[in-house]
Amino acid sequence: MTPCDVCKSVLPFDEKTGRCCEDLSGKTELLVAEDDQDLAQDLKETLEGLDYTVLEVARSAEQTVVLAEKHRPDLVLMDIQLSGEMDGIQAAEQLRAFQIPVIYVTGYCDGSVLERAQQTEPCGYILKPYKTSDIKIAVRMGLYRHQAEQSRQQLLKRFQGVLSSVKTLTGRLSICCYCKKIKDRAGDWPEVETYIMQHTNASFTHGMCPDCFASVKRKLEAIEENNAAEGPLVLG
C-alpha cells in the first residue's frame, strides 16, 4: 500500500486522494486575532513571510468568531487579552464548534490563565515576545496536529460504519432435530437459510458435499442395477 505523501502513514484515510492528511505547505489560510495594531501587523508579515495566507486581522473576540465562521480558516492565532466583552479563550471555546484549531499568542502565562486556556484544547501556546522560528514551528505543528485529529475522527467514523453494518447471532437457538428449521421470536419456523440471512449479512449458494454426493451416487447406481420402478429418491 502506498504511504501518505505527507506523513508517510500506510493508512490512507481519504479514499479520493489516498492521503490521511493534507499538505501543510503553502495556500494555508490563517486568521489573526490581535487588538494591538503594531503587533498584529508584525504577526501578519511574519506569517506571510512563511508563505501562509492571512485572511484578516480581528480586533476583538467577537469579531474573531464572526470572521472565523465566515472564512473557516485552517488555523487562528489568538491573543488572549482582546477588546470586547469576551476574551480570546472564550472565543476559542466557540471556535471548537467549527472545528477550527487555535494557537494562543499571548504575554499571559500565569497558572489560572493557562488552566482556562488548556480547557479549550489549543494546538499551541506562544509567549510574547516571540521569534519567527517560534511561529514557524508552532503553526506547522498545530496544523499537523489538527489534521491528524481529523484523520483519526474519519477513521473512527469508518470503523463505526463497518461495525454498525455487522450482524451477529448470539444465544441459544431452537432448531428442529428433524427438518432443521429454526424457531424465531414470533414463533414461526423459517428455513435455516432464511433465518440466518435475516439475522446476519451472510448469503447462501447451494451445492453438495462429498459425503452426500457419494450417497446419492450409490443410490442411483443401485436403482439402475435393480431396474427399480421410478419413484421418489430419498436422500440421507
Side-chain angles (χ1 to χ4, degrees):
M1 183 178 293
T2 303
C4 170
D5 295 336
V6 179
C7 70
K8 307 307 179 185
S9 170
V10 294
L11 295 177
F13 303 146
D14 189 328
E15 296 178 356
K16 293 182 180 180
T17 66
R19 292 180 175 184
C20 66
C21 56
E22 296 297 327
D23 190 349
L24 304 181
S25 62
K27 303 301 182 183
T28 302
E29 297 180 333
L30 309 180
L31 180 66
V32 172
E34 174 61 70
D35 58 359
D36 185 297
Q37 185 174 352
D38 293 335
L39 292 177
Q41 184 62 29
D42 180 75
L43 183 55
K44 180 176 182 295
E45 292 177 356
T46 298
L47 292 168
E48 290 174 343
L50 294 172
D51 200 27
Y52 294 114
T53 299
V54 178
L55 297 170
E56 291 193 60
V57 175
R59 304 299 183 184
S60 68
E62 290 82 2
Q63 186 184 19
T64 301
V65 175
V66 172
L67 292 177
E69 185 176 8
K70 174 184 176 182
H71 296 295
R72 298 301 174 107
D74 297 301
L75 185 141
V76 175
L77 287 97
M78 181 87 70
D79 186 22
I80 290 180
Q81 190 64 39
L82 292 171
S83 59
E85 296 182 0
M86 294 195 306
D87 63 11
I89 296 176
Q90 291 171 299
E93 182 62 37
Q94 293 193 27
L95 296 189
R96 294 178 68 184
F98 307 137
Q99 295 186 338
I100 298 175
V102 170
I103 291 178
Y104 291 114
V105 184
T106 181
Y108 287 84
C109 60
D110 61 84
S112 60
V113 173
L114 284 173
E115 185 176 350
R116 285 184 58 220
Q118 185 177 3
Q119 293 176 359
T120 64
E121 299 181 358
C123 288
Y125 199 100
I126 303 172
L127 286 176
K128 300 175 183 177
Y130 54 79
K131 299 178 181 178
T132 299
S133 58
D134 297 333
I135 299 295
K136 180 179 180 179
I137 294 172
V139 172
R140 181 77 181 184
M141 294 303 296
L143 289 168
Y144 180 83
R145 176 182 173 183
H146 179 66
Q147 292 289 356
E149 177 61 21
Q150 294 293 97
S151 297
R152 189 188 71 83
Q153 292 293 336
Q154 292 176 19
L155 181 61
L156 181 60
K157 288 181 180 179
R158 287 178 60 185
F159 281 159
Q160 289 174 338
V162 171
L163 291 176
S164 65
S165 67
V166 174
K167 295 181 179 179
T168 58
L169 284 173
T170 58
R172 181 176 297 179
L173 301 178
S174 298
I175 185 168
C176 176
C177 61
Y178 182 74
C179 69
K180 307 304 181 184
K181 292 182 179 180
I182 297 178
K183 184 178 181 180
D184 60 21
R185 293 183 178 180
D188 299 323
W189 291 85
E191 298 287 346
V192 62
E193 295 96 331
T194 301
Y195 185 89
I196 291 177
M197 286 190 292
Q198 289 175 343
H199 293 81
T200 71
N201 290 322
S203 59
F204 289 86
T205 60
H206 291 84
M208 187 177 292
C209 72
D211 291 341
C212 290
F213 178 79
S215 176
V216 171
K217 183 179 179 181
R218 287 194 300 269
K219 291 183 180 181
L220 289 173
E221 291 172 347
I223 290 174
E224 292 179 357
E225 182 178 349
N226 297 327
N227 196 22
E230 292 185 2
L233 177 63
V234 179
L235 301 181

